[in-house]
Amino acid sequence: MQFTVSQRFFFDAAHTLQREIEAEGSRRVHGHTYHAEVWVQGPRNTANGMVIDLGFLRQHLAVVREQLDHHLLDEVPGLGTPTLENLCAFIAQQLSGLQPPPSRVRVWREALGDGCTLDLTPPQA
């Protein structure tokens, strides 16, 4: 049996964005409240009955949140252009040492209604 557990967090951050389409204010420094959710998939550990201890996952997410919260995303090392796609990839990379590793990362901006999901498990044939 495979189980999937998840944990959410949020962060407030500023960024700029060079876009092909002219969008009011994108090139200026502006900010958003971002929400993120990380999924971990696997079997239950027979010793504790958990895929991953959610307290352990929360500790790791707190470290990632600290790198993003109230920062200018343009300046976060390893993030690259501060797009939703790159935020998903950055969060996944920061958590790649978890056992089991993340199977999915989602980042969204509730106020704008947009988001991105990164699936890290290969599709089943």
Side-chain angles (χ1 to χ4, degrees):
M1 285 190 279
Q2 291 287 312
F3 294 88
T4 303
V5 296
S6 67
Q7 182 65 49
R8 292 181 183 179
F9 67 101
F10 74 94
F11 57 97
D12 295 305
H15 73 117
T16 63
L17 194 58
Q18 302 297 317
R19 300 172 65 179
E20 290 180 27
I21 186 170
E22 181 55 40
E24 185 67 30
S26 288
R27 294 173 194 254
R28 291 191 313 261
V29 174
H30 62 284
H32 303 283
T33 297
Y34 294 87
H35 300 266
E37 187 167 10
V38 174
W39 285 261
V40 176
Q41 186 176 36
R44 287 179 293 188
N45 178 311
T46 56
N48 64 18
M50 297 181 244
V51 173
I52 188 171
D53 186 318
L54 288 175
F56 184 69
L57 180 56
R58 281 187 200 99
Q59 287 177 342
H60 281 77
L61 293 179
V63 172
V64 174
R65 184 177 187 271
E66 179 64 30
Q67 294 175 70
L68 301 170
D69 191 42
H70 286 84
H71 283 84
L72 178 61
L73 297 179
D74 303 59
E75 298 174 352
V76 173
L79 176 59
T81 304
T83 62
L84 293 172
E85 295 88 345
N86 284 344
L87 282 165
C88 284
F90 177 82
I91 293 168
Q93 177 60 40
Q94 297 304 303
L95 299 173
S96 63
L98 283 178
Q99 287 304 315
S103 58
R104 174 181 282 178
V105 176
R106 179 173 178 237
V107 176
W108 71 98
R109 298 180 297 199
E110 189 72 32
L112 297 175
D114 52 15
C116 179
T117 301
L118 172 62
D119 286 310
L120 297 158
T121 54
Q124 305 249 338

